[in-house]
Amino acid sequence: MQQEALEAPLTGESVAEEPGLARKPLSRPALVWQRLRRMPRFWVGFGIFVALVLMAFVAPLVYPFGPTDRDPYNMNMGPTTLHWFGTNAIGQDIYAQTLSGLQKSLIIGMIAGPAATLIAAFIGAAAGYIGGWTDRTLSWMIHLLLVIPSFYIFVLLSPLVKGLSWLALTIFLAAFSWMIMAQVVRNQTRSLRNRDFVRAARYMGMSSGGILRRHIIPNIASLLIIDATLGVVAAIMAETSLSYFGFGVQKPEISLGNLLADGASAAVTRPWLFVFPAGVLIILLFAISLVGDALRDAIDPTSGNNRD
């Protein structure tokens, strides 16, 4: 009984309290959740992330100032009980603007990150499973996009997309963020395509698309979940960087990037213009990174970072 109890965490099986009765083996999602809930860093990251989401989408409903409202009696003022993060040179509330920028960053990141993972999943799986000229063509396209820095592509295309909404930026980030993961998926698919369960599905007459959807992609879902989570961080950082340099979200729309750009010149004389948007951005990236790190260790306990 003592030996079974020691082996249970390794096999995913739990032993019943009564002698001779063993519970059913845990499913993979249940096993991942069992590991996750024992990781303090997951709960810290998840709690901070939920708080920031509520702050971005609920707080503006009750806060008395909007991002474009002006207070002519409190211009260039530091944090007060009336304006929590202070005001800028024309009396706009920095807290309201930070909430608006946080909301934009969350939406862009939550769309662009998973979308890039989906593109990587289907292109990489198709290249790895079909092989031949399809593999060569898709691999050539992946290598070409990896060679050309996406930042410079967007700089060149910025005159064409400046008049468009932030959705254009979201589509761009998703379209140029999938190549590395596609290579990983391609290699994983090549190792799976000759497995017995894939051969059996092929002999039963299942189409290539059906095999990819039902057998290949579900078997690499762990990698895709981790990539989608960390892809949110990468998309938020990319959007902030592009907006900071004037190629991303354009005014009058607000993002954390253009708030940082506006406050950088006054970071010493009026630090609240820069410190508060930067602090919110750092906390957001930290929270998502904690969740992604915990998720990686829960899915792959052999990753070497399972410290909890």
Side-chain angles (χ1 to χ4, degrees), residues 145-160:
L145 292 175
L146 283 173
V147 169
I148 304 174
S150 57
F151 181 85
Y152 296 115
I153 295 176
F154 198 79
V155 169
L156 294 174
L157 296 178
S158 60
L160 301 177

PDB file of all heavy atoms in Angstrom, residues 145-160:
ATOM      1  N   LEU A 145       9.607  34.181 -43.960  1.00  0.00           N
ATOM      2  CA  LEU A 145       9.024  35.105 -42.984  1.00  0.00           C
ATOM      3  C   LEU A 145       9.898  35.235 -41.742  1.00  0.00           C
ATOM      4  O   LEU A 145       9.888  36.284 -41.091  1.00  0.00           O
ATOM      5  CB  LEU A 145       7.619  34.627 -42.598  1.00  0.00           C
ATOM      6  CG  LEU A 145       6.565  34.713 -43.711  1.00  0.00           C
ATOM      7  CD1 LEU A 145       5.251  34.100 -43.247  1.00  0.00           C
ATOM      8  CD2 LEU A 145       6.349  36.158 -44.151  1.00  0.00           C
ATOM      9  N   LEU A 146      10.655  34.179 -41.415  1.00  0.00           N
ATOM     10  CA  LEU A 146      11.555  34.268 -40.268  1.00  0.00           C
ATOM     11  C   LEU A 146      12.757  35.159 -40.562  1.00  0.00           C
ATOM     12  O   LEU A 146      13.291  35.817 -39.670  1.00  0.00           O
ATOM     13  CB  LEU A 146      12.042  32.867 -39.868  1.00  0.00           C
ATOM     14  CG  LEU A 146      11.049  31.994 -39.102  1.00  0.00           C
ATOM     15  CD1 LEU A 146      11.610  30.593 -38.930  1.00  0.00           C
ATOM     16  CD2 LEU A 146      10.723  32.598 -37.743  1.00  0.00           C
ATOM     17  N   VAL A 147      13.179  35.190 -41.819  1.00  0.00           N
ATOM     18  CA  VAL A 147      14.337  35.996 -42.191  1.00  0.00           C
ATOM     19  C   VAL A 147      14.006  37.479 -42.160  1.00  0.00           C
ATOM     20  O   VAL A 147      14.816  38.314 -41.748  1.00  0.00           O
ATOM     21  CB  VAL A 147      14.859  35.573 -43.588  1.00  0.00           C
ATOM     22  CG1 VAL A 147      15.876  36.581 -44.104  1.00  0.00           C
ATOM     23  CG2 VAL A 147      15.471  34.188 -43.528  1.00  0.00           C
ATOM     24  N   ILE A 148      12.787  37.837 -42.599  1.00  0.00           N
ATOM     25  CA  ILE A 148      12.392  39.243 -42.674  1.00  0.00           C
ATOM     26  C   ILE A 148      11.785  39.661 -41.341  1.00  0.00           C
ATOM     27  O   ILE A 148      10.746  39.128 -40.946  1.00  0.00           O
ATOM     28  CB  ILE A 148      11.372  39.470 -43.804  1.00  0.00           C
ATOM     29  CG1 ILE A 148      11.947  38.980 -45.134  1.00  0.00           C
ATOM     30  CG2 ILE A 148      10.991  40.934 -43.905  1.00  0.00           C
ATOM     31  CD1 ILE A 148      10.955  39.038 -46.273  1.00  0.00           C
ATOM     32  N   PRO A 149      12.376  40.600 -40.615  1.00  0.00           N
ATOM     33  CA  PRO A 149      11.816  41.034 -39.325  1.00  0.00           C
ATOM     34  C   PRO A 149      10.426  41.651 -39.503  1.00  0.00           C
ATOM     35  O   PRO A 149      10.229  42.518 -40.348  1.00  0.00           O
ATOM     36  CB  PRO A 149      12.826  42.067 -38.821  1.00  0.00           C
ATOM     37  CG  PRO A 149      14.079  41.794 -39.575  1.00  0.00           C
ATOM     38  CD  PRO A 149      13.642  41.278 -40.915  1.00  0.00           C
ATOM     39  N   SER A 150       9.481  41.170 -38.714  1.00  0.00           N
ATOM     40  CA  SER A 150       8.099  41.644 -38.847  1.00  0.00           C
ATOM     41  C   SER A 150       7.972  43.120 -38.500  1.00  0.00           C
ATOM     42  O   SER A 150       7.106  43.817 -39.035  1.00  0.00           O
ATOM     43  CB  SER A 150       7.177  40.812 -37.951  1.00  0.00           C
ATOM     44  OG  SER A 150       7.605  40.857 -36.611  1.00  0.00           O
ATOM     45  N   PHE A 151       8.846  43.623 -37.604  1.00  0.00           N
ATOM     46  CA  PHE A 151       8.769  45.034 -37.238  1.00  0.00           C
ATOM     47  C   PHE A 151       8.994  45.925 -38.458  1.00  0.00           C
ATOM     48  O   PHE A 151       8.271  46.890 -38.682  1.00  0.00           O
ATOM     49  CB  PHE A 151       9.810  45.347 -36.154  1.00  0.00           C
ATOM     50  CG  PHE A 151       9.793  46.780 -35.693  1.00  0.00           C
ATOM     51  CD1 PHE A 151       8.916  47.184 -34.701  1.00  0.00           C
ATOM     52  CD2 PHE A 151      10.651  47.713 -36.253  1.00  0.00           C
ATOM     53  CE1 PHE A 151       8.899  48.512 -34.271  1.00  0.00           C
ATOM     54  CE2 PHE A 151      10.638  49.034 -35.829  1.00  0.00           C
ATOM     55  CZ  PHE A 151       9.766  49.431 -34.844  1.00  0.00           C
ATOM     56  N   TYR A 152       9.989  45.577 -39.278  1.00  0.00           N
ATOM     57  CA  TYR A 152      10.280  46.395 -40.450  1.00  0.00           C
ATOM     58  C   TYR A 152       9.184  46.267 -41.503  1.00  0.00           C
ATOM     59  O   TYR A 152       8.916  47.211 -42.247  1.00  0.00           O
ATOM     60  CB  TYR A 152      11.638  46.003 -41.028  1.00  0.00           C
ATOM     61  CG  TYR A 152      12.779  46.276 -40.091  1.00  0.00           C
ATOM     62  CD1 TYR A 152      13.539  45.237 -39.566  1.00  0.00           C
ATOM     63  CD2 TYR A 152      13.089  47.571 -39.698  1.00  0.00           C
ATOM     64  CE1 TYR A 152      14.575  45.482 -38.685  1.00  0.00           C
ATOM     65  CE2 TYR A 152      14.128  47.828 -38.805  1.00  0.00           C
ATOM     66  CZ  TYR A 152      14.858  46.779 -38.306  1.00  0.00           C
ATOM     67  OH  TYR A 152      15.881  47.028 -37.424  1.00  0.00           O
ATOM     68  N   ILE A 153       8.570  45.095 -41.577  1.00  0.00           N
ATOM     69  CA  ILE A 153       7.449  44.938 -42.507  1.00  0.00           C
ATOM     70  C   ILE A 153       6.323  45.883 -42.127  1.00  0.00           C
ATOM     71  O   ILE A 153       5.738  46.560 -42.988  1.00  0.00           O
ATOM     72  CB  ILE A 153       6.953  43.477 -42.504  1.00  0.00           C
ATOM     73  CG1 ILE A 153       8.037  42.547 -43.048  1.00  0.00           C
ATOM     74  CG2 ILE A 153       5.684  43.343 -43.340  1.00  0.00           C
ATOM     75  CD1 ILE A 153       7.653  41.090 -42.998  1.00  0.00           C
ATOM     76  N   PHE A 154       6.030  45.948 -40.846  1.00  0.00           N
ATOM     77  CA  PHE A 154       4.936  46.825 -40.429  1.00  0.00           C
ATOM     78  C   PHE A 154       5.304  48.293 -40.597  1.00  0.00           C
ATOM     79  O   PHE A 154       4.444  49.113 -40.904  1.00  0.00           O
ATOM     80  CB  PHE A 154       4.558  46.552 -38.972  1.00  0.00           C
ATOM     81  CG  PHE A 154       3.202  47.081 -38.619  1.00  0.00           C
ATOM     82  CD1 PHE A 154       2.070  46.392 -38.984  1.00  0.00           C
ATOM     83  CD2 PHE A 154       3.051  48.279 -37.941  1.00  0.00           C
ATOM     84  CE1 PHE A 154       0.813  46.875 -38.674  1.00  0.00           C
ATOM     85  CE2 PHE A 154       1.806  48.774 -37.623  1.00  0.00           C
ATOM     86  CZ  PHE A 154       0.677  48.068 -37.998  1.00  0.00           C
ATOM     87  N   VAL A 155       6.573  48.637 -40.409  1.00  0.00           N
ATOM     88  CA  VAL A 155       7.000  50.016 -40.645  1.00  0.00           C
ATOM     89  C   VAL A 155       6.767  50.384 -42.110  1.00  0.00           C
ATOM     90  O   VAL A 155       6.294  51.484 -42.430  1.00  0.00           O
ATOM     91  CB  VAL A 155       8.480  50.195 -40.261  1.00  0.00           C
ATOM     92  CG1 VAL A 155       9.005  51.543 -40.749  1.00  0.00           C
ATOM     93  CG2 VAL A 155       8.648  50.087 -38.750  1.00  0.00           C
ATOM     94  N   LEU A 156       7.093  49.457 -43.020  1.00  0.00           N
ATOM     95  CA  LEU A 156       6.883  49.722 -44.440  1.00  0.00           C
ATOM     96  C   LEU A 156       5.402  49.808 -44.787  1.00  0.00           C
ATOM     97  O   LEU A 156       5.002  50.582 -45.669  1.00  0.00           O
ATOM     98  CB  LEU A 156       7.552  48.627 -45.275  1.00  0.00           C
ATOM     99  CG  LEU A 156       9.086  48.566 -45.203  1.00  0.00           C
ATOM    100  CD1 LEU A 156       9.601  47.352 -45.963  1.00  0.00           C
ATOM    101  CD2 LEU A 156       9.692  49.848 -45.773  1.00  0.00           C
ATOM    102  N   LEU A 157       4.596  48.987 -44.094  1.00  0.00           N
ATOM    103  CA  LEU A 157       3.151  48.972 -44.395  1.00  0.00           C
ATOM    104  C   LEU A 157       2.369  50.014 -43.598  1.00  0.00           C
ATOM    105  O   LEU A 157       1.174  50.192 -43.851  1.00  0.00           O
ATOM    106  CB  LEU A 157       2.576  47.583 -44.095  1.00  0.00           C
ATOM    107  CG  LEU A 157       3.101  46.417 -44.937  1.00  0.00           C
ATOM    108  CD1 LEU A 157       2.458  45.117 -44.484  1.00  0.00           C
ATOM    109  CD2 LEU A 157       2.813  46.650 -46.413  1.00  0.00           C
ATOM    110  N   SER A 158       3.010  50.680 -42.660  1.00  0.00           N
ATOM    111  CA  SER A 158       2.285  51.601 -41.774  1.00  0.00           C
ATOM    112  C   SER A 158       1.522  52.703 -42.512  1.00  0.00           C
ATOM    113  O   SER A 158       0.432  53.071 -42.077  1.00  0.00           O
ATOM    114  CB  SER A 158       3.243  52.204 -40.748  1.00  0.00           C
ATOM    115  OG  SER A 158       4.269  52.920 -41.390  1.00  0.00           O
ATOM    116  N   PRO A 159       2.040  53.261 -43.632  1.00  0.00           N
ATOM    117  CA  PRO A 159       1.225  54.270 -44.322  1.00  0.00           C
ATOM    118  C   PRO A 159      -0.102  53.719 -44.839  1.00  0.00           C
ATOM    119  O   PRO A 159      -1.071  54.465 -44.977  1.00  0.00           O
ATOM    120  CB  PRO A 159       2.136  54.713 -45.482  1.00  0.00           C
ATOM    121  CG  PRO A 159       3.506  54.406 -45.026  1.00  0.00           C
ATOM    122  CD  PRO A 159       3.378  53.151 -44.223  1.00  0.00           C
ATOM    123  N   LEU A 160      -0.145  52.417 -45.114  1.00  0.00           N
ATOM    124  CA  LEU A 160      -1.373  51.825 -45.637  1.00  0.00           C
ATOM    125  C   LEU A 160      -2.386  51.508 -44.550  1.00  0.00           C
ATOM    126  O   LEU A 160      -3.586  51.452 -44.813  1.00  0.00           O
ATOM    127  CB  LEU A 160      -1.042  50.536 -46.403  1.00  0.00           C
ATOM    128  CG  LEU A 160      -0.084  50.676 -47.589  1.00  0.00           C
ATOM    129  CD1 LEU A 160       0.199  49.319 -48.197  1.00  0.00           C
ATOM    130  CD2 LEU A 160      -0.670  51.622 -48.635  1.00  0.00           C
TER     131      LEU A 160
END
